[in-house]
Amino acid sequence: MNFERETLPTTPADWVVGPYHSPWISHFRAHFTLDGEIIVRAGLEGGFLHRGLEKALELHPWQSSIVYAGRVDPEAASFAEHALCLAVEKLCELEVPARAQCIRVIVDELTRVSSHLKYIARIAQATSSETMVHFALRDREKILDLFELLSGARFSLSFLRFGGVANDVTEGFIERVVEVCDLIRFRLKEYNDLFSYNQAFLARSAYVGVVEPGFARRCGLTGPNARASAIVADVRKTSPYSGYEQLDFEVPLGQGEGGAIGDAHDRYVIRLREITQSLEILRQVCDALPAGPFASAPVERDFKVPTGEAYARVESARGLLGCYAVADGSARPTRVQFRVPTGPSWQLAPMLLEGARLQDAPTILASLDLCVSELDR
Amino acid sequence: MSGVASGWYQLLVLPEGIPPGLVVAGAWILATVMVIFPVAAAYSYVERKLGADYQARVGPNRAGPSGMFQPIADWLKLLQKPNQALSWKEERWSALQTMATYSTAAVLPLGPLFILADTEMNVFIPFWALMVAALATLLLGMEQSSIQGWLGGSRVAAQALSGAFPATLAILCAGLAGGGFRWADMVASQGAAPWSWNVMASPFHPFGFLAFVGAGLVFSADHQRDLGGGVTSNLYGGRLALAQLGKFYVLFLWSSMATVLYLGGWSMPAFITEELSAADAWIVLFGLQAVLVLSKTVLLMFLIDWVARTNPRARVEQITELSWKFLSPLALFSLMGAAAWRALT
């Protein structure tokens, strides 16, 4: 961006915003030093949502750990649950039935679409496009309805179990999933007409918060944020799990069609394309859902995990989500640690904010899809 | 017509000895309570319902049938809000801002019935008053000793400055067709039919209209949802309501000005005007004219609201850039073109 026109220097002013501030996506405090409208120094302070989740995991039986894992990011609960299940299944050498794997993929992809729709609502909120906020949230409700039909909960599903899932799909669920997929596919066109290529939105998001590919790699960025910077990084492709290797889907990459590769607009467009791919995955899985059991064996309260350690990773809606589990053969975990995709984005955000306009700060932060809940946990 | 407009209160039969100023003030208060409040309430309800419809929402639906009493509920709630104490310095600029904004009510072009002051420069008065209000907002923001106030005040002032230039040119462009800057003259030069409105006076006038409406958006664009929050982020209760009402009022004022400058104002078909004038039914005539100009104004406001609600909001420097680099040349082009057209035809 060209800031050379800002030739009128002003006395730098410090401004602390948060932790509760309506344009913020969640609870954190931002420290800005401003030169007029330009941010010359920025810092983010987290920790306001710390709940001691990893410690809580050590204090409760393995059976309860799924519930705590789901709270890492309550809005996209299935990913952390899935990562924990994979790690524990590695330790226990548990076989997961094919039907259970397919149900896990359905839940994951629905969660991904739901999370991306929330992302669209957030970035629309950041650019004050009220109509788009309501459109995205309206369609997200349809997915939350599906979660309710499946598990009884709309958030924090706690639906996955070691060796499978909690229940088989309810009657009519698969048909409803197909209907919702068709609806959202249709609505994506509406989003593009209204918002994605709207000149006002392009003016707010193109060339804003640009993450160069090399910089993204050095920062350890993963997921859609990395892919927007044209880095091929998708755990579903690089180390497939739960049957993703049998599915046919593409990994969209940023092309800088609005401005530069890796800008806020690219990060938005990537998520739109990922929704399309997720819908494609859902269609394939729904078409070929195998018959059979939905879990290998019920997980009881005295469920024990053999001594050892295991690391598993999944592709969450925000990127690589890893789970490192250590067991000592007892009924409780010794240590469970998560590697969350928001970490690198959080480190990167202040660097993107420095030099940007103050009015772009909400857009930059929303475009990075920071999840303070999973960061603080 | 203009003579009647300037002294309309002479039409009233009143006892001797009551000063005209008192009559004008009383009539204005009466008109505000009887006309402006109900119209504003109806407008806010319809605007919220329409806005909800654009956004796939339901809108007000709890207070009364289909939420029709929502404006009353809002008003009652507002009355319960505590009054915010400001420092005398803030109070000074806040008062100036309020006075400057609402002083334009004296020249609000809603037909002869509502115009309290009829001068040769009527068209420019609201415009200058809004510049004063912008200056007062800047000073109020500076006085608030907060980043929000400081940035918000500067933004308002920058927007007003950038919007002033194309707005002046667009007013001059309308004046070319109108032959004067008295509201009544401006309306007298236009007919009731759309093709006799100023906006159709020459191939260049539509651009002048666009520049004027655009300049109005530049004036009234707010950044409430952006990070800063602006001057209003330090206000609450009645003060905040007054500030927000001010924004609504500026949009209303600007739309009514655009209506009178370019969209025929209160011009009615000649036979109606003649019939009612001949029958000395001035109040009926003025009432009908007010309804006509109000309807056009409200339609224009709905149109602006529709665009504003369905599009993302621009940054402040994008707004000022739009004004300096697009609206100003557009207004200049329309003025020069309209002048050339007038000279040649």
Side-chain angles (χ1 to χ4, degrees):
Chain A
M1 290 182 78
N2 178 18
F3 295 116
E4 284 172 16
R5 283 173 296 167
E6 300 287 324
T7 51
L8 184 69
T10 60
T11 316
D14 292 326
W15 192 19
V16 180
V17 192
Y20 301 102
H21 194 60
S22 60
W24 281 172
I25 44 174
S26 188
H27 311 89
F28 61 89
R29 190 179 277 156
H31 299 259
F32 293 126
T33 304
L34 303 170
D35 176 9
E37 291 268 357
I38 306 293
I39 301 169
V40 289
R41 210 163 44 245
L44 299 181
E45 183 188 341
F48 297 98
L49 271 180
H50 178 62
R51 289 146 292 158
L53 277 182
E54 288 179 356
K55 189 67 191 166
L57 275 159
E58 294 168 20
L59 303 175
H60 294 87
W62 278 106
Q63 192 197 31
S64 311
S65 58
I66 297 281
V67 180
Y68 285 99
R71 264 63 176 179
V72 168
D73 174 11
E75 282 184 3
S78 73
F79 297 115
E81 291 177 19
H82 201 157
L84 177 68
C85 285
L86 289 178
V88 171
E89 283 153 10
K90 250 189 208 175
L91 282 171
C92 301
E93 293 173 358
L94 269 176
E95 278 296 319
V96 183
R99 187 175 177 84
Q101 293 206 356
C102 284
I103 297 173
R104 283 181 178 185
V105 169
I106 291 176
V107 174
D108 272 7
E109 293 310 315
L110 283 175
T111 308
R112 195 182 314 279
V113 176
S114 153
S115 176
H116 284 355
L117 287 174
K118 186 71 194 284
Y119 172 90
I120 293 170
R122 278 181 183 148
I123 200 162
Q125 182 91 51
T127 52
S128 297
S129 181
E130 224 183 305
T131 304
M132 194 58 224
V133 175
H134 291 289
F135 276 27
L137 292 181
R138 169 194 62 182
D139 298 334
R140 180 168 167 264
E141 284 297 307
K142 305 280 181 210
I143 295 177
L144 301 186
D145 288 345
L146 288 176
F147 287 154
E148 197 173 355
L149 182 65
L150 181 71
S151 68
R154 297 171 78 79
F155 295 108
S156 302
L157 309 185
S158 308
F159 187 67
L160 271 58
R161 295 289 182 272
F162 304 133
V165 291
N167 275 306
D168 203 353
V169 290
T170 43
E171 201 183 327
F173 176 77
I174 296 297
E175 291 77 8
R176 288 277 298 275
V177 170
V178 174
E179 272 173 35
V180 170
C181 287
D182 289 343
L183 177 79
I184 291 176
R185 200 174 282 117
F186 169 75
R187 290 276 163 76
L188 288 180
K189 189 184 171 305
E190 209 173 74
Y191 296 175
N192 286 339
D193 291 345
L194 178 75
F195 187 65
S196 307
Y197 300 100
N198 184 316
Q199 283 304 315
F201 177 60
L202 278 170
R204 290 295 308 265
S205 60
Y207 299 107
V208 170
V210 180
V211 182
E212 306 277 347
F215 185 48
R217 197 171 278 120
R218 281 200 301 282
C219 290
L221 219 54
T222 57
N225 288 347
R227 295 194 281 276
S229 299
I231 295 173
V232 186
D234 192 326
V235 183
R236 295 174 296 175
K237 286 283 187 192
T238 53
S239 32
Y241 55 93
S242 297
Y244 272 110
E245 64 279 6
Q246 294 158 21
L247 297 166
D248 180 24
F249 64 98
E250 288 168 15
V251 179
L253 295 178
Q255 295 158 359
E257 55 187 292
I261 289 180
D263 63 5
H265 188 259
D266 253 3
R267 288 196 282 277
Y268 164 81
V269 170
I270 280 292
R271 275 155 177 103
L272 272 189
R273 300 220 169 104
E274 289 201 355
I275 292 178
T276 314
Q277 293 304 317
S278 291
L279 298 178
E280 178 58 29
I281 292 172
L282 282 166
R283 191 190 55 76
Q284 291 175 29
V285 179
C286 289
D287 283 352
L289 186 67
F294 59 84
S296 52
V299 176
E300 303 296 343
R301 193 172 166 76
D302 59 353
F303 179 84
K304 288 191 174 65
V305 176
T307 308
E309 55 184 58
Y311 178 73
R313 53 192 171 172
V314 298
E315 181 70 21
S316 84
R318 296 183 174 82
L320 190 157
L321 195 149
C323 176
Y324 174 63
V326 183
D328 59 0
S330 70
R332 288 178 186 175
T334 307
R335 180 79 170 99
V336 176
Q337 192 176 14
F338 290 97
R339 183 269 180 210
V340 292
T342 298
S345 310
W346 179 263
Q347 297 296 324
L348 183 96
M351 294 181 241
L352 295 186
L353 289 171
E354 283 169 14
R357 287 182 175 276
L358 182 62
Q359 284 188 300
D360 280 337
T363 316
I364 291 173
L365 294 174
S367 78
L368 286 171
D369 203 8
L370 303 175
C371 175
V372 178
S373 169
E374 69 177 22
L375 189 76
D376 288 350
R377 41 184 196 283
Chain B
M1 181 64 74
S2 60
V4 175
S6 59
W8 56 267
Y9 51 84
Q10 291 166 2
L11 293 169
L12 303 174
V13 183
L14 291 165
E16 290 293 316
I18 298 180
L22 199 63
V23 178
V24 170
W28 179 250
I29 290 168
L30 201 68
T32 306
V33 174
M34 303 292 289
V35 181
I36 307 275
F37 281 1
V39 167
Y43 174 84
S44 75
Y45 173 72
V46 177
E47 192 252 323
R48 287 177 69 172
K49 273 289 188 194
L50 278 178
D53 199 42
Y54 307 147
Q55 297 174 347
R57 292 186 287 118
V58 180
N61 62 345
R62 301 299 291 269
S66 302
M68 282 176 75
F69 300 147
Q70 192 61 46
I72 299 170
D74 289 346
W75 190 249
L76 289 174
K77 179 152 193 297
L78 190 62
L79 288 178
Q80 297 170 34
K81 296 273 183 185
N83 195 17
Q84 182 183 7
L86 296 177
S87 72
W88 73 269
K89 286 178 181 171
E90 290 174 84
E91 196 73 72
R92 178 176 62 186
W93 301 127
S94 178
L96 179 62
Q97 183 199 33
T98 311
M99 282 160 62
T101 306
Y102 293 103
S103 66
T104 55
V107 287
L108 198 60
L110 295 181
L113 189 65
F114 287 92
I115 297 176
L116 298 187
D118 197 20
T119 70
E120 290 291 346
M121 302 302 282
N122 255 16
V123 175
F124 292 102
I125 290 174
F127 178 62
W128 291 328
L130 292 183
M131 295 299 285
V132 174
L135 176 69
T137 311
L138 169 69
L139 294 169
L140 175 65
M142 297 284 177
E143 214 62 75
Q144 283 175 343
S145 310
S146 74
I147 303 276
Q148 291 103 313
W150 178 61
L151 282 175
S154 316
R155 285 172 184 172
V156 167
Q159 284 176 208
L161 274 180
S162 67
F165 188 58
T168 314
L169 294 176
I171 289 175
L172 291 176
C173 179
L176 270 180
F181 296 105
R182 196 187 279 272
W183 287 127
D185 295 345
M186 198 62 84
V187 175
S189 69
Q190 305 179 67
W195 55 85
S196 57
W197 293 350
N198 275 348
V199 70
M200 305 290 275
S202 78
F204 302 96
H205 273 82
F207 300 111
F209 174 67
L210 281 180
F212 189 77
V213 173
L217 285 175
V218 170
F219 258 95
S220 60
D222 72 283
H223 304 279
Q224 210 183 331
R225 280 167 206 286
D226 280 316
L227 189 59
V231 175
T232 50
S233 59
N234 289 315
L235 303 177
Y236 64 80
R239 302 265 182 190
L240 181 61
L242 198 66
Q244 283 170 344
L245 195 69
K247 281 175 192 162
F248 166 79
Y249 176 77
V250 170
L251 181 63
F252 175 72
L253 172 72
W254 206 271
S255 303
S256 65
M257 284 171 72
T259 304
V260 176
L261 287 175
Y262 282 100
L263 302 180
W266 54 82
S267 267
M268 297 179 75
F271 71 92
I272 299 180
T273 318
E274 282 163 15
E275 286 285 326
L276 290 174
S277 306
D280 259 358
W282 292 108
I283 296 295
V284 178
L285 177 63
F286 292 162
L288 281 177
Q289 287 172 334
V291 168
L292 181 67
V293 76
L294 261 177
S295 314
K296 287 182 189 174
T297 302
V298 165
L299 279 177
L300 186 60
M301 284 170 79
F302 280 141
L303 190 70
I304 292 171
D305 186 62
W306 177 54
V307 174
R309 273 186 189 269
T310 46
N311 282 291
R313 209 157 295 186
R315 286 193 304 257
V316 64
E317 110 281 359
Q318 289 172 338
I319 293 176
T320 49
E321 205 166 284
L322 172 86
S323 196
W324 288 122
K325 293 188 180 170
F326 177 70
L327 294 178
S328 299
L330 185 74
L332 199 59
F333 166 74
S334 66
L335 177 64
M336 289 168 68
W341 181 269
R342 194 178 162 86
L344 294 174
T345 55

